Amino acid sequence: MSALTDDLPLLTVDRLGKNYGSRIGCRDVSFELYAGEVLAVVGESGSGKSTLLSLLSTQLQPTAGAIRYRMRDGSVRDVFELSQAERRFLMRTDWGFVHQDAAQGLRMAVSAGANVGERLMAVGDRHYGNIRHAALDWLGRVEIEADRIDDAPRSFSGGMRQRLQIARNLVTNPRLVFMDEPTGGLDVSVQARLLDLLRGLVADLGLSVIIVTHDLAVARLLSHRIMVMRQGRVIETGLTDQVLDDPREPYTQLLVSSVLQV
Amino acid sequence: MTTLHPGYNFAYLDEQTKRMIRRAILKAVAIPGYQVPFASREMPMPYGWGTGGVQVTAAILGEGDVLKVIDQGSDDTTNAVSIRKFFEKTAGVETTTETARATVIQTRHRIPETALQEGQTIVYQVPIPEPLRFLEPRETETRTMHGLEEYGLMHVKLYEDIATHGHIATTYAYPVKVNGRYLMDPSPTPKFDNPKMDMSPALQLFGAGREKRIYAIPPYTKVVSLDFEDHPFEVNKFDKPCALCAAEGVYLDEVILDDAGGRMFVCSDTDYCETRRAEGHRGEMLGEAPAFVSREPAE
Ligand SMILES: [Zn+2]
């Protein structure tokens, strides 16, 4: 399952760290992410994986290290040296962010169609018919019935909201999508359907994804590589199947045995 | 200085407050469409009565000015009358209902039908100055959006309009872009009047009292109403001319005449309508309309 078409990394994370006063959020995190690659960041709560995600998506300012991103024009930029306008533009075009709580990622009071169309309008699309057409297309791709296009997500089930949030992010063809426990809080059958959908979309679109999860089953199903975090540090990293089938670190062994052998 | 009511400063506000408001106005004129915060004062009237506009008018009014006040196009509503009386009392300025004679026009909704001229100033009373508020309640975020000219969200609202109604149903407070830069809410003005804001020879000032904001459109500034390529901006069209003065291409109000469904459409700009009638223009219901509509004894 490789779509590693480009030879340069899309994202380069270099000794990234974040301290909250004397407390360590995360420390000395380095990795490279290539186009089409799915990286799962796993760990228990408090492991630093959420801090890391906030740093990577530029919602938090790091206290150490750098993040370099290869922009659509091929230039490599330190994301924390982008202007606010450039960063916001990047976040609503070439990046996506799927929140665990769909209400955080959606505008609950406006229709599904407008939720999907917002990014297009933000980048200057001024043709209603085209926006509507793109919204319908994306609703279809995330398996939401066309006749729900004018309904607000308030009336949607949890699984539908999450699928709508995914469509809203993907409409601008981002190359990198961050996901924060995207299946968290959903029923098991709903989770399975969402994971299948995500897996298909990621493969079809050649997306790069950084997914934070405490659920190793999610990591196994979606990711090529995995990073295990504990106490703010990366303690083990490697191909997902290798790490989950044959973990080297005692802590990872513990995680795997407690979660996967249920 | 004429002090009609001892105890009040000219135009009610003290000179220091007026200077503060004038500074905000100057900044607003320098950055067309940008909302300038100002330290809004308590006025001896409720907020809903346009205290923002009243403060702007008080700050710019001079002894030689001639003031016109309208509400829904009419000089005679309680709101218009009481604001006019307020300035007659506190500033002693001449007042008028005639658009062409006024140097300062304060309005709640309409822009007069008689085209404004150089040297005139129109002051709008604004309830909610932030056009993005509808979808983004966080002020820190809307400020950033203005700063970075990120206005896609305004089109989300227009999209919703079309999705719900089949066309852009926003008829009042229709968003505009000023001077190619700032998104602006033209107050509760009907969109019919938006084209009058574009390249107007008059100075346009907007005051929001409760929200403590002033903004402006200097004379001869480009004002564009937002729209979609396939749903272009259109002004309200009326099927018939004014029933009293036969004016066409003006904004009409519907007036219910009786319980039996009788109704008529007449100019919302009452001064314009009366002037036309005095000039001899006759609409099809002139003479039949009850006095409360025509404000003339029925023949
Ligand atoms: Zn008329």
Side-chain angles (χ1 to χ4, degrees):
Chain A
M1 51 196 289
S2 121
L4 312 186
T5 49
D6 296 312
D7 23 344
L8 291 171
L10 190 63
L11 189 77
T12 306
V13 178
D14 186 14
R15 287 163 294 173
L16 198 63
K18 174 73 183 175
N19 297 333
Y20 302 97
S22 61
R23 198 169 61 80
I24 295 169
C26 73
R27 189 169 205 174
D28 209 23
V29 177
S30 296
F31 66 91
E32 288 178 339
L33 186 76
Y34 286 83
E37 203 178 11
V38 179
L39 173 71
V41 181
V42 302
E44 297 169 294
S45 73
S47 63
K49 62 185 196 302
S50 299
T51 299
L52 178 62
L53 189 69
S54 299
L55 290 171
L56 295 173
S57 56
T58 72
Q59 294 169 74
L60 264 184
Q61 197 74 23
T63 40
I67 302 171
R68 285 183 290 278
Y69 183 70
R70 185 161 51 80
M71 311 288 278
R72 281 186 180 181
D73 67 3
S75 66
V76 175
R77 304 281 303 271
D78 182 327
V79 295
F80 292 105
E81 280 168 15
L82 295 173
S83 69
Q84 188 187 21
E86 287 176 313
R87 199 184 318 172
R88 286 170 67 101
F89 184 77
L90 180 69
M91 288 173 77
R92 60 166 191 259
T93 53
D94 208 22
W95 287 8
F97 196 109
V98 177
H99 297 264
Q100 174 174 3
D101 176 9
Q104 272 186 273
L106 293 172
R107 292 194 190 276
M108 297 304 278
V110 308
S111 69
N115 264 286
V116 178
E118 181 174 345
R119 275 178 167 230
L120 297 176
M121 293 180 248
V123 296
D125 199 325
R126 294 290 176 266
H127 191 284
Y128 175 82
N130 291 350
I131 294 163
R132 186 128 178 121
H133 187 266
L136 272 173
D137 178 43
W138 270 103
L139 290 179
R141 288 166 89 164
V142 298
E143 299 165 12
I144 294 175
E145 296 295 327
D147 63 4
R148 303 303 302 271
I149 187 170
D150 294 329
D151 295 343
R154 280 201 194 109
S155 66
F156 287 9
S157 68
M160 268 175 86
R161 287 181 187 185
Q162 211 51 306
R163 281 179 276 132
L164 179 63
Q165 196 191 176
I166 290 161
R168 171 177 161 89
N169 274 279
L170 295 187
V171 69
T172 50
N173 299 307
R175 292 183 301 161
L176 174 59
V177 178
F178 302 99
M179 297 184 186
D180 184 12
E181 306 273 9
T183 58
L186 299 175
D187 293 344
V188 176
S189 63
V190 177
Q191 274 192 27
R193 183 178 173 194
L194 186 65
L195 282 170
D196 279 346
L197 180 82
L198 272 177
R199 200 149 79 132
L201 285 172
V202 165
D204 289 350
L205 302 168
L207 287 178
S208 300
V209 176
I210 296 177
I211 178 169
V212 161
T213 180
H214 69 280
D215 186 341
L216 298 188
V218 169
R220 190 191 282 274
L221 215 65
L222 283 182
S223 71
H224 306 117
R225 280 199 302 143
I226 196 166
M227 247 168 42
V228 183
M229 292 192 72
R230 188 189 184 199
Q231 294 172 350
R233 292 169 185 275
V234 176
I235 58 158
E236 182 160 5
T237 179
L239 294 174
T240 301
D241 289 342
Q242 268 177 24
V243 170
L244 294 184
D245 292 340
D246 186 18
R248 282 178 295 128
E249 290 292 319
Y251 177 76
T252 312
Q253 290 165 5
L254 211 67
L255 269 187
V256 169
S257 61
S258 63
V259 179
L260 288 187
Q261 292 177 3
V262 187
Chain B
M1 189 196 297
T2 341
T3 306
L4 274 103
H5 259 237
Y8 287 130
N9 194 29
F10 178 78
Y12 184 79
L13 293 174
D14 62 80
E15 292 306 308
Q16 199 187 340
T17 300
K18 284 196 267 185
R19 273 198 296 275
M20 175 273 290
I21 294 171
R22 286 175 200 143
R23 277 196 296 272
I25 293 171
L26 286 172
K27 186 169 178 184
V29 168
I31 316 171
Y34 173 74
Q35 298 167 44
V36 180
F38 80 111
S40 181
R41 294 296 151 90
E42 292 284 329
M43 297 299 284
M45 57 190 80
Y47 275 123
W49 284 46
T51 56
V54 170
Q55 289 178 80
V56 169
T57 298
I60 64 168
L61 217 51
E63 285 173 52
D65 274 313
V66 180
L67 178 69
K68 172 181 167 76
V69 182
I70 46 174
D71 176 18
Q72 298 280 15
S74 167
D75 298 82
D76 300 337
T77 64
T78 317
N79 185 273
V81 170
S82 59
I83 292 174
R84 193 161 60 231
K85 283 204 177 126
F86 175 78
F87 283 114
E88 281 170 359
K89 252 201 239 170
T90 60
V93 293
E94 188 186 344
T95 57
T96 185
T97 59
E98 209 180 310
T99 300
R101 278 197 64 229
T103 56
V104 176
I105 300 163
Q106 179 165 336
T107 179
R108 180 141 82 148
H109 307 88
R110 292 297 320 285
I111 301 174
E113 302 295 356
T114 304
L116 300 183
Q117 303 299 324
E118 278 185 21
Q120 289 185 305
T121 301
I122 182 163
V123 178
Y124 300 80
Q125 306 167 201
V126 178
I128 297 170
E130 180 47 71
L132 297 164
R133 174 92 36 100
F134 173 79
L135 289 164
E136 182 50 75
R138 292 171 297 176
E139 181 162 346
T140 49
E141 183 63 14
T142 54
R143 232 183 268 174
T144 304
M145 288 171 165
H146 283 294
L148 300 176
E149 209 179 333
E150 286 180 6
Y151 293 139
L153 199 54
M154 202 68 243
H155 273 85
V156 170
K157 183 178 184 298
L158 300 180
Y159 170 98
E160 286 292 84
D161 254 19
I162 302 172
T164 312
H165 305 282
H167 62 276
I168 299 177
T170 301
T171 51
Y172 289 86
Y174 191 105
V176 294
K177 199 158 188 191
V178 178
N179 202 27
R181 176 58 182 85
Y182 281 97
L183 178 69
M184 195 194 88
D185 185 333
S187 95
T189 304
K191 70 173 178 178
F192 180 88
D193 287 334
N194 277 17
K196 294 179 187 161
M197 295 182 177
D198 180 35
M199 298 305 283
S200 171
L203 171 63
Q204 304 177 70
L205 302 176
F206 300 77
R210 188 172 33 214
E211 303 269 340
K212 303 179 170 54
R213 292 288 186 278
I214 286 171
Y215 47 103
I217 305 172
Y220 302 109
T221 301
K222 199 106 201 73
V223 177
V224 177
S225 302
L226 301 192
D227 60 5
F228 286 102
E229 290 157 19
D230 47 344
H231 287 267
F233 172 79
E234 279 176 357
V235 296
N236 334 33
K237 288 205 184 75
F238 300 92
D239 302 336
K240 287 179 158 190
C242 170
L244 295 177
C245 78
E248 292 183 47
V250 296
Y251 193 80
L252 303 180
D253 283 337
E254 183 179 5
V255 181
I256 306 292
L257 296 174
D258 51 44
D259 296 342
R263 59 191 195 141
M264 63 192 290
F265 287 89
V266 299
C267 292
S268 106
D269 184 337
T270 52
D271 175 65
Y272 181 78
C273 196
E274 281 161 25
T275 306
R276 279 180 55 85
R277 278 181 267 155
E279 287 166 3
H281 296 278
R282 300 184 59 83
E284 61 175 14
M285 290 177 79
L286 186 65
E288 301 163 35
F292 79 91
V293 185
S294 65
R295 283 177 296 169
E296 287 166 358
E299 287 163 29

